[in-house]
Amino acid sequence: MPGTASRRKASGRLSRAVPRALPISLSRGLPTALSRGLPTAVPRVLRTTAPRGRPAGVPWAASLYVGAVQLGAYATARLPGRRRTELLRTHSTNVDNLRAGRWQTLATSAVFVEEPLPVAYSAALLAALGTAEARWGVWRAAGVFAAGHAGASLLVYGALRRRTREGAPSATTGASPGVSAAHATEETTAESPDTTARAIDVGASYGFNATVGALAATVPHHGARAAATAGLLALGVRPVLRRGRTFTDVGHLAALVIGVALGTGMRVGTGMRAGAERRTGANSQIRA
C-alpha cells in the first residue's frame, strides 16, 4: 500500500539519521533518549553546564549587597545628626563595642557606611564582588569578603585596644576621601584614647580589599598574577609607610594580605584537585 511504503521509507531515513550511539527507541520514548543518548552524543562544547568551580550566572548577590548598602546610606543620611551618629557608632567595630562582646558588629559594620558611596567606588566594588561571585560562586565569594572584613577589623581592634590601654596619644584613624565613604572614621590625631575607642568604623573597604587580593592571586597566567599581586601589595604598603598613616590604612593592608592568602589557597587547591582527577582518569584508561 502507498501509505505503508512511505512510512517504511521515513523509518529507514530516521534510523540512518540517528547515530548508533543514541539508544533511541520509539517504544521507550523521548525520556529514555534524553537520559541515555544525549550525554554521550552532544559535544562537550555545546553543553550548557559551567565547568566545575566556575559557576555561571548573573552575580545577583553582589548587586543586591551593593544596592542595599547604597540605599541604606541614603536612608541613614536623612536621619538627624545625633541619631545618625549613634546608629553608626552602635554598628561600628570599635574598641568599646568589641571589648563589650558586641561581636555582631563584625557583620553589621559591613552593611553601614557613613555616607553614600561615590559612583566610581560603588562601580569598582560591584565589579570586584560580581567577578568573584561569577568565578567562585556566592558562598565562596562571600566567605572571602567576610574573612577579610572580620580579620582586618579584629587586627585593627587589637592594635587600638593596646594603644588605648597604654594611654598613648591616638593616631589618625581616618582614610582618604575615596575610602572614607566605605570605612567611616574619625580624625583623632589630637584626641584622647577614649575617643578613639568610640570611633565610628563601618563600611565595605576591608572586604573589598580582600576580594581584590584574592582575585589577583587567582589570575591563571603566572606573570600577570605576580604583577597584579605585587602591584596591589605595593599600593597597600605605601600608606602604611607614610608619616601620617592611619589604623584604617593598616586594616586595608591586612585585608589585602588575607585576600591574597585565601586566593593562593584556592588556586593551589584547585590545581591539586585537577591533578588528582587527571591521574584518576589516566588510571581508569589503563585499567580499561
Side-chain angles (χ1 to χ4, degrees), residues 18-117:
V18 177
R20 292 185 180 181
L22 295 177
I24 297 181
S25 172
L26 296 178
S27 61
R28 293 180 180 177
L30 183 60
T32 303
L34 291 176
S35 62
R36 293 188 178 182
L38 292 183
T40 59
V42 178
R44 183 170 297 181
V45 295
L46 296 180
R47 294 181 184 176
T48 57
T49 55
R52 184 177 299 179
R54 299 288 297 277
V58 178
W60 59 270
S63 304
L64 183 64
Y65 170 73
V66 175
V69 169
Q70 195 74 312
L71 289 176
Y74 282 113
T76 304
R78 297 177 65 88
L79 296 175
R82 183 174 179 179
R83 183 179 176 185
R84 173 175 162 273
T85 300
E86 288 303 317
L87 175 66
L88 295 176
R89 183 170 285 127
T90 298
H91 294 283
S92 294
T93 51
N94 55 33
V95 175
D96 275 2
N97 283 336
L98 295 179
R99 184 167 50 192
R102 303 185 188 100
W103 302 108
Q104 71 275 8
T105 58
L106 291 173
T108 59
S109 60
V111 297
F112 283 91
V113 290
E114 189 178 19
E115 58 187 17
L117 300 175

Side-chain angles (χ1 to χ4, degrees), residues 39 160 173 175 209 220 252 273 280:
L160 288 175
T173 59
N209 279 26
H252 290 157
R273 286 192 299 270
T280 302

Side-chain angles (χ1 to χ4, degrees), residues 127-129 131-133 135-136 144 210-220 225 228 232 259-260 263 266:
L129 299 185
T131 302
E133 183 182 344
R135 291 183 62 182
W136 309 327
V144 170
T211 301
V212 172
L215 287 172
T218 54
V219 172
R225 180 172 66 247
L232 287 173
V260 170
M266 287 190 291

